Every structure is written in C-alpha cells, then in structure tokens.
C-alpha cells in the first residue's frame, strides 16, 4: 500500500472520529454559554490540553521544523519566542480575563466604557488577527497534501485548501465550543505522541548523542558551522542593521502576541473557576514547553537526515520538513514500509493539527462577530441566545470563505512566518487595550478605540509596505516593488504605537468611571461577580 493511500485512510479515520465527537457535542449545546464557552464545564487539565491543541498549530509543527532545518540556530528563536510568550499570558492576562469577562475579549473592554465603539473595534481586531492566523493554517494544509498525494499543481493545492475550509466550518457550525474543545484535546494527544515518537527515533539513530546530531545537521546543511550560530536568517551582512532590528521585532511580536490572541483568550472562559484557569495554563505551558523542545530535534533531524536541498525541492518555504523527516527516519530504521507508515501517521497528525486550530480560530472570530457586533452593537443587547448562535454560525461560513480565498493566494510563504505576522497584529492592537483596561484606572473609551485601531492600523500599514508584500522573490506580489519599510515583522514599531495611541486617546478624553474600574479590579482579582457578567 502506498503512503498516499495509507495517510488518506488515517486522515479520514481522524475526520470521522472528530465529526462524531462534534455531532455528539452539538446535542449538549443548549444555550450561548454552551456554544461559546463549552458550558464552562472543562477541568483545568482538559482545558490545558485544549490550549496546547489550540496553540501548537501548523506553524509550530511544520513551520518551525522547516525554519530550523533551513536556517539552523535562527529558526530556534521561533520555538523560544512561542514558549516564553506563555509566561506573559499566565502572569498578566489568563486569570484576570477569566474573572472579568464572559465569552469574548470585548466583554472585558466594554465593561467600563461606552460599549458600542469598543465592541466594534474589538470585533474588527479579532477577525483581522484570526484571518491572518487562518491564512497560515491553510497554506500548511496545501503544502502537506502536495507532499502526501503528490499534488504539485496550484489547482490541486487550492482544492485541498477548499476541503479544509469546508471541514472546519462544519466543526464550528455544528459543535460550537464543546465540539471544538474535544477536537483540540484529541489532536493535542496525537500531536504530542507523533512528535515524541519521531524525536525518540531520531535521537536513538544518533545514540542519544545531541552533538552527533547537530554536527551531522551542520555538515548536511551545506552551511558548515554557520548553521549552529546566529546570523543565517537574521542579521546577515547583506541585511545589515535592518536584519538585526527585524530579529528584535520578531521576538517582541512572538513574546507579546500570545496574550492578545483572541482564540487563546476565549479558552480561559471554558473553565468554571479562576483556579482552574490558572491550572489550565500550567498544563498548557507543560505540554507546549515539551513540544517546543521536540521541535529542536525535529528541525535539526530534518537537516541531518533529509537535507536542505531535498526540503526546498518539495516546498520552497520548508513547510514539509517534519513529514519528510518521518519518512527518512522510518526508512533508515524500519525499511520502506516503516517509512511509509511513519510519513502517513505524521502527515495525518499534522492535518489534524491544522483542522483543530482552524476550528478554534473560526469559532473565535464568528463568536466575536455574533456576540460583540451583532448582539451588542447592532441589536443593543435585545437578542435571544438562539438568534445569536444562528448569527455565529452564519458568520463562520463567511469567515471560512474569506480564509479559503486568502489561503489560496498565500501559498509559498513559510507558515511560522505568517503566524508571526498574526502575533504582531495581536500584540499591537489587542494587548495594549487589554493591559490598560485591566491595570490603568484612567483608561476610557477613546483610549481603547485608539489603542486597537492605532496598533492594528499601523501593523497592517507597515506589512503592506514591507518585503512581505513586494520586492523579493518570496513576497506575496514578487513582480512589484513598493516596499519602503525594511522590516518583515512590524512589531518593533507598531506595538509601541498601539500603547502610545491608547495613552494619547485616554488623555484627550475627559470620560472616566472610577466606580466601574473599582468593580472590574475586584472582579478580575477575585472572580466575585463574574457569573453575573454572563447574564447581561
């Protein structure tokens, strides 16, 4: 049996199981709390697994392994950045958000401000960040199927992206948060299992000698010792100072972005108490920490056993390094049948990863539209649970369609890089508004709207005029050149601009509600009154 047939069968089994879970969950989805927050019925450990499932995206598994395999040490910075980011989410945001909100990020912001402008801004920001992130998952799906089914034509990859899009819409529309969370849990277990297996096989192949693995990776990469020191991807002589600043910018975006990612923030609402919220983040950090250490072995293992040339020949952005490593190590240890089986397993796991993350993102953006924009901005709160859930389901279709269209356009970009852009946009627009709202007494409506639009607008504006869009062979529009902004990641400029815009907006407005701030301060620190928040 060929690996194409086997991996397709494994993948279809995963889809069948998860669709079964989704339909089972839909029978238990009775009201808005069930649809948006899984009825707040998940334990800390379950939610921790689901957080891991939501966070370890195609970017983590495919993109980081690819960047490490091609750029060595510089690729490892993604692993470190994604992991360190969790400490900020844990210390500053997780528990406070769980205590003071209901279903979405905007609930926290709108509590002490004029709700309509703030909810509109938060809704726009949530949907923008989610679509950037969705883009990365879709590109990963196209690259994977290209490898699995031997599809090389752009049309074939485009059809794959459409297929993934349709599946994710079904998950969200039918299962809501309950179905999506169970899909995340199943996928987190599968991904950890698959990554651990390949890591152990690679280390076993080198007699558990890391030096031998790194030495072989450096030798096969064609870049010798340069491969194991900084400067292959960022800060090269050709890039000069801009390359070094770009590296700092990337680091800032990765570390600060997690605490502003809407699909991660809504995960904190699925647990019954603040204690469980903290516990779930600790579980999440444990799982994610181990996983990012594994990506190190996966990346260097791919460089050593597959080689940079073979990876680039299959996918110019390196997104298929991990599945190709699975095949290579399987062939080396178990012969060609073993290679075929391992490739099929890892590819099916990677596909499951994409589906689960995409479902979480679509849920975050469609619930933000339905709960923030439709229920509170258009209908001013006069809306039944049934209407709100219906609108969430319709918007899942629309957001899915947009993601499919953009995913087809962005093929050929590295998925970890695309996700880093989503992080930059989240850190620039959402994080300043969330932190000011939780910690600054004077903060007001004008400040919140300025922070979100200022950060979001500047990040998008700089991305449009950066090498991401034009001017290089890997740009989205390679034939044009209107890139006057030298950095690929806008974080170093747009994040301070978001904080500055929030500060100036707040100072320019006289509005201020001390009583509401006192209430949200008590609620965010103690959780008292958080359940009332779900009523109005």
């Amino acid at each position: 049996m060929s690996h194409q047939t086997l991996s397709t069968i494994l993948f279809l089994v995963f889809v069948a199981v998860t669709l079964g879970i989704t339909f089972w969950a839909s029978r238990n989805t009775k009201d808005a709390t069930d649809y948006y927050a899984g009825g707040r019925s998940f334990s800390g450990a379950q939610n921790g697994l689901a957080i891991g499932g939501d966070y370890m995206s195609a970017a983590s598994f495919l993109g980081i392994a690819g960047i490490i395999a091609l750029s060595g040490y510089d690729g490892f910075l993604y692993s470190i950045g994604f992991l360190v980011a969790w400490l900020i989410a844990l210390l500053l945001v997780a528990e406070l958000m769980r205590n003071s909100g209901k279903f979405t990020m905007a609930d926290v912001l709108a509590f002490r401000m004029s709700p309509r402008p703030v909810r509109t801004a938060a809704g726009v920001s949530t949907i923008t960040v989610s679509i950037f992130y969705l883009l990365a998952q879709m590109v990963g799906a196209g690259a994977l199927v290209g490898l699995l089914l031997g599809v090389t034509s752009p049309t074939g990859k485009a059809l794959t992206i459409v297929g993934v899009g349709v599946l994710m819409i079904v998950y969200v529309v039918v299962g809501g948060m309950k179905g999506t969370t169970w899909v995340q849990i199943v996928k987190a277990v599968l991904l950890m299992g698959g990554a651990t297996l390949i890591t152990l096989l690679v280390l076993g192949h080198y007699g558990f000698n890391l030096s031998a693995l790194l030495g072989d990776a450096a030798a096969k990469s064609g870049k010798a010792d340069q491969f194991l020191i900084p400067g292959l991807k960022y800060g090269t002589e050709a890039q000069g100072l801009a390359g070094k600043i770009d590296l700092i910018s990337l680091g800032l975006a990765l570390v600060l972005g997690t605490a502003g990612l809407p699909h991660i923030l809504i995960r904190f609402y699925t647990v019954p108490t603040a204690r469980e919220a903290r516990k779930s983040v600790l579980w999440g950090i444990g799982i994610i920490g181990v996983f990012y250490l594994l990506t190190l072995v996966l990346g260097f293992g791919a460089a050593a056993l597959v080689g940079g040339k073979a990876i680039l020949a299959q996918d110019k952005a390196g997104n298929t390094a991990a599945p190709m490593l699975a095949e290579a190590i399987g062939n080396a240890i178990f012969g060609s049948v073993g290679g075929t089986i391992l490739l099929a397993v890892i590819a099916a796991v990677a596909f499951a990863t994409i589906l689960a993350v995409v479902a979480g993102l679509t849920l975050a953006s469609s619930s933000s539209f339905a709960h923030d924009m439709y229920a509170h901005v258009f209908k001013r709160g006069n809306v039944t649970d049934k209407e709100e859930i219906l609108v969430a389901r319709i918007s899942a279709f629309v957001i899915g369609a947009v993601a499919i269209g953009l995913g087809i356009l962005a093929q050929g970009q590295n998925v970890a890089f695309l996700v880093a852009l989503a992080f930059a946009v989240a850190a620039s627009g959402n994080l300043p508004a969330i932190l000011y709202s939780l910690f600054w007494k004077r903060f007001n409506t004008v400040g919140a709207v300025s922070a979100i639009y200022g950060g979001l607008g500047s990040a998008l504006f700089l991305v449009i005029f950066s090498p991401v869009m034009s001017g290089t062979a890997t740009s989205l529009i390679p034939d044009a050149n209107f890139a006057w902004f030298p950095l690929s990641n806008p974080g170093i400029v747009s994040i301070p601009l978001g904080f500055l815009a929030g500060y100036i907006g707040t100072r320019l407005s006289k509005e201020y509600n001390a009583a509401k701030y006192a209430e949200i301060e008590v609620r965010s620190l103690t959780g008292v009154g958080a359940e009332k928040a779900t009523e109005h």
Side-chain angles (χ1 to χ4, degrees):
M1 189 193 288
S2 73
H3 72 76
Q4 277 115 330
T5 323
L6 187 61
S7 44
T8 310
I9 290 169
L10 278 173
F11 175 62
L12 289 174
V13 167
F14 174 81
V15 170
V17 170
T18 46
L19 281 175
I21 292 171
T22 306
F23 281 103
W24 165 78
S26 70
R27 300 226 301 275
N28 300 321
T29 298
K30 297 178 183 68
D31 59 13
T33 305
D34 281 340
Y35 188 81
Y36 294 133
R40 301 190 203 284
S41 58
F42 289 96
S43 72
Q46 286 172 331
N47 197 45
L49 272 171
I51 285 177
D54 223 340
Y55 194 68
M56 298 181 298
S57 63
S60 309
F61 188 45
L62 302 173
I64 295 179
I67 286 188
I68 293 176
L70 298 176
S71 310
Y73 179 93
D74 282 7
F76 185 46
L77 292 161
Y78 279 88
S79 295
I80 298 293
F82 282 144
L83 178 56
V84 171
W86 269 103
L87 296 174
I88 292 192
L90 171 66
L91 296 172
L92 292 180
V93 177
E95 185 185 342
L96 304 176
M97 288 288 283
R98 155 69 191 79
N99 286 344
S100 43
K102 292 156 269 187
F103 302 139
T104 63
M105 172 185 93
D107 290 335
V108 177
L109 301 180
F111 181 75
R112 52 187 271 232
M113 303 176 195
S114 170
R116 293 181 75 199
V118 172
R119 281 188 186 278
T120 306
V124 168
S125 177
T126 296
I127 291 166
T128 310
V129 173
S130 298
I131 283 175
F132 259 102
Y133 215 103
L134 277 167
L135 238 164
Q137 313 309 320
M138 297 302 204
V139 171
L144 248 185
V145 169
L147 172 71
L148 277 184
L149 307 180
V151 177
T152 44
S153 69
T155 321
K157 288 187 180 179
L159 286 172
T160 315
I161 290 174
V162 173
V164 173
V166 170
L167 264 173
M168 78 179 182
I169 292 168
V170 172
Y171 283 148
V172 174
V173 169
V174 175
M177 180 56 107
K178 262 197 182 136
T180 304
T181 301
W182 279 111
V183 171
Q184 311 279 23
I185 291 170
V186 170
K187 169 237 140 153
V189 172
L190 284 176
L191 183 58
M192 285 303 289
T196 308
L197 173 67
I198 300 297
T199 301
L200 289 173
L201 290 175
V202 170
L203 288 175
H205 184 67
Y206 284 97
F208 288 89
N209 182 342
L210 262 182
S211 300
L213 167 63
L214 294 176
D216 205 10
K220 298 268 177 63
S221 69
K223 311 203 173 85
D225 291 345
Q226 280 291 308
F227 194 66
L228 302 177
I229 57 173
L232 261 186
K233 186 171 175 63
Y234 298 100
T236 56
E237 281 177 22
Q239 293 168 326
L241 181 64
K244 291 180 172 135
I245 295 175
D246 208 2
L247 178 58
I248 297 169
S249 190
L250 170 74
L252 263 178
L254 294 180
V255 170
L256 298 176
T258 298
L261 286 177
H263 68 294
I264 298 295
L265 294 174
I266 63 169
R267 287 243 67 90
F268 300 131
Y269 298 130
T270 61
V271 289
T273 62
R275 184 165 171 233
E276 292 294 331
R278 280 198 303 277
K279 206 195 281 179
S280 63
V281 177
L282 289 172
W283 267 90
I285 285 183
I287 293 162
I288 290 160
V290 171
F291 177 75
Y292 284 123
L293 286 173
L294 300 181
T295 58
L296 189 62
V297 178
L298 294 175
F300 284 118
L305 294 165
V306 182
K309 280 188 183 144
I311 294 170
L312 285 171
Q314 173 61 43
D315 184 276
K316 65 179 180 182
N319 293 325
T320 53
M324 289 171 86
L325 168 64
E327 187 174 24
I329 192 75
N331 287 340
I333 297 176
F334 308 114
S336 62
V337 177
T340 302
I341 292 172
L342 265 183
L343 170 63
V345 168
I346 294 303
V349 165
F351 226 63
T353 296
I354 290 170
L355 276 181
V357 173
V358 155
L361 285 161
T362 313
L363 183 69
S365 36
S366 62
S367 60
S368 177
F369 180 82
H371 182 67
D372 298 331
M373 292 179 143
Y374 178 77
H376 288 91
V377 177
F378 305 149
K379 291 285 193 175
R380 295 173 185 263
N382 301 320
V383 63
T384 64
D385 274 5
K386 259 201 174 135
E387 281 171 23
E388 204 175 304
I389 292 172
L390 178 67
V391 172
R393 287 177 165 154
I394 293 167
S395 52
F397 275 101
V398 177
I399 289 159
V402 171
I404 290 168
L406 287 171
I408 291 169
L409 285 177
Q411 290 179 56
Q413 293 282 331
N414 181 287
V415 286
F417 167 72
L418 286 170
V419 163
L421 285 183
F423 273 65
V425 175
S428 308
N430 295 347
L431 188 67
I434 290 168
L435 290 183
Y436 279 150
S437 187
L438 291 170
F439 298 108
W440 188 20
K441 200 181 282 190
R442 267 285 282 123
F443 196 49
N444 54 31
T445 308
V446 177
V449 173
S450 309
I452 292 175
Y453 287 138
L456 189 68
S458 60
L460 291 176
F461 177 76
L462 293 174
V463 166
I464 289 168
F465 293 104
S466 77
V468 176
M469 285 300 281
S470 68
T472 69
T474 53
S475 301
L476 285 178
I477 313 169
D479 305 330
N481 187 1
F482 44 85
W484 50 261
F485 183 67
L487 308 181
S488 296
N489 197 298
I492 199 164
V493 179
S494 58
I495 297 170
L497 277 177
F499 277 100
L500 184 66
Y503 178 80
I504 293 171
T506 303
R507 289 289 175 207
L508 291 177
S509 167
K510 296 273 189 291
E511 179 213 354
Y512 165 55
N513 189 333
K516 283 272 187 171
Y517 175 74
E519 189 179 335
I520 201 159
E521 190 175 31
V522 170
R523 181 190 287 179
S524 69
L525 292 172
T526 63
V528 172
E531 289 312 307
K532 277 189 206 150
T534 56
E535 289 159 21
H536 67 256

